[in-house]
């Protein structure tokens, strides 16, 4: 070879992050698998949405989005095919069913980076039957760690005031929660760098757009 390469060329698309994979035990002693989402997960995401109550849908999406809309193929392409330079998307699978055809996704979480600034918005959804087992807190802590590794300045979200569980988890993980009287929502933020001065989470219109994830 004529001369040596002076630098390593990065792939155009970041490879699938196998390093995200880990096993974890819930409060009820169930072992689950946490990993990055895959394109092949689309059927599992369809099944996941069958097990989400109307209340959970509303608190997550700020709207009663119908099942057919949530599992629309074009929408799920965006959910399951991830550019890991832009998003970090994790799913949790029932560890008891990983080796058979009945494996299922029981929770999902995502960081979506805002354009042009080192800030991301988090979003999460846990199947109703698995709520209260520490999955939300675990997922949020994982997303925060991934955000630090990505060099983000802050992680934010907008949460409905009625979503007491999410607000409790956010505060427990270390987020500041501030009620916005004008929009009737709670804006949560965690500064990952002391020097960062956030202008606050994206507005509610932006939140409704990004909330279509999962």
């Amino acid at each position: 070879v004529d001369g040596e390469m002076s630098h390593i060329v990065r792939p155009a698309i970041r490879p699938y992050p196998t390093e995200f994979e880990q096993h974890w035990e819930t409060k009820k002693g169930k072992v689950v698998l946490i990993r990055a989402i895959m394109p092949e997960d689309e059927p599992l995401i369809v099944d996941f949405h069958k097990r989400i109550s109307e209340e959970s849908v509303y608190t997550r999406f700020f709207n009663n989005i119908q099942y057919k809309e949530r599992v629309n193929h074009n929408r799920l392409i965006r959910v399951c095919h991830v550019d890991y330079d832009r998003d970090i998307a994790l799913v949790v699978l029932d560890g008891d069913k990983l080796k058979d055809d009945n494996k299922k996704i029981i929770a999902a979480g995502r960081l979506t980076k805002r354009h042009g600034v080192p800030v991301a918005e988090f979003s999460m959804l846990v199947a109703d039957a698995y709520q209260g087992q520490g999955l939300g807190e675990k997922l949020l802590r994982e997303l925060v760690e991934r955000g630090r590794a990505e060099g983000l300045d802050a992680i934010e979200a907008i949460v409905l005031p009625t979503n007491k569980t999410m607000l409790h988890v956010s505060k427990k993980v270390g987020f500041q929660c501030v009620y916005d009287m004008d929009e009737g929502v709670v804006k949560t933020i965690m500064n990952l760098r002391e020097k960062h001065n956030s202008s606050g989470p994206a507005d509610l219109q932006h939140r409704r757009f990004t909330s279509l994830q999962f």
Side-chain angles (χ1 to χ4, degrees), residues 118-132:
V119 177
E121 180 179 357
F122 80 79
S123 57
M124 296 193 308
L125 188 59
V126 179
D128 288 62
Y130 294 85
Q131 292 176 10

Side-chain angles (χ1 to χ4, degrees), residues 124-162:
M124 296 193 308
L125 188 59
V126 179
D128 288 62
Y130 294 85
Q131 292 176 10
Q133 299 187 36
L135 285 170
E137 180 183 343
K138 174 62 177 176
L139 266 179
L140 187 51
R141 291 189 186 279
E142 287 297 317
L143 292 175
V144 168
E145 286 309 304
R146 299 304 168 193
R148 290 187 198 278
E150 291 291 308
L152 295 177
D153 285 353
I155 297 174
E156 307 171 333
I158 295 178
V159 181
L160 288 173
T162 54

Side-chain angles (χ1 to χ4, degrees), residues 40-204:
E40 308 92 279
D41 286 335
E42 182 174 340
L44 299 182
I45 291 291
V46 171
D47 176 69
F48 174 56
H49 277 280
K50 290 179 182 177
R51 292 175 280 109
I52 305 297
S53 69
E54 290 184 5
E55 181 181 357
S56 292
V57 169
Y58 186 81
T59 56
R60 170 63 192 87
F61 296 100
F62 289 25
N63 204 336
N64 289 318
I65 301 177
Q66 297 301 304
Y67 171 76
K68 285 183 65 176
E69 182 179 352
R70 301 199 313 272
V71 301
N72 176 274
H73 173 63
N74 290 331
R75 176 179 175 275
L76 292 187
I77 288 176
R78 299 194 302 272
V79 169
C80 298
H81 292 71
V82 176
D83 176 357
Y84 281 96
D85 279 322
R86 173 169 170 74
D87 288 7
I88 301 294
L90 302 177
V91 290
V92 183
L93 289 91
D94 186 330
D96 293 337
K97 301 182 182 299
L98 293 177
K99 295 182 180 180
D100 62 35
D101 293 335
N102 294 318
K103 64 183 178 182
K104 59 184 179 181
I105 289 174
I106 58 177
R110 183 179 295 251
L111 282 183
T112 301
K113 296 178 184 176
R114 288 171 60 183
H115 181 69
V117 292
V119 177
E121 180 179 357
F122 80 79
S123 57
M124 296 193 308
L125 188 59
V126 179
D128 288 62
Y130 294 85
Q131 292 176 10
Q133 299 187 36
L135 285 170
E137 180 183 343
K138 174 62 177 176
L139 266 179
L140 187 51
R141 291 189 186 279
E142 287 297 317
L143 292 175
V144 168
E145 286 309 304
R146 299 304 168 193
R148 290 187 198 278
E150 291 291 308
L152 295 177
D153 285 353
I155 297 174
E156 307 171 333
I158 295 178
V159 181
L160 288 173
T162 54
N163 194 351
K164 303 297 185 184
T165 300
M166 189 69 256
L167 292 174
H168 173 73
V169 168
S170 298
K171 291 175 182 177
K172 191 172 181 180
V173 173
F175 282 77
Q176 294 178 322
C177 301
V178 179
Y179 179 67
D180 186 315
M181 293 185 64
D182 294 332
E183 293 188 344
V185 296
V186 178
K187 297 184 175 181
T188 71
I189 181 169
M190 177 185 285
N191 288 324
L192 302 179
R193 298 175 185 264
E194 291 184 6
K195 65 179 181 180
H196 175 70
N197 292 315
S198 174
S199 59
D203 60 28
L204 191 56

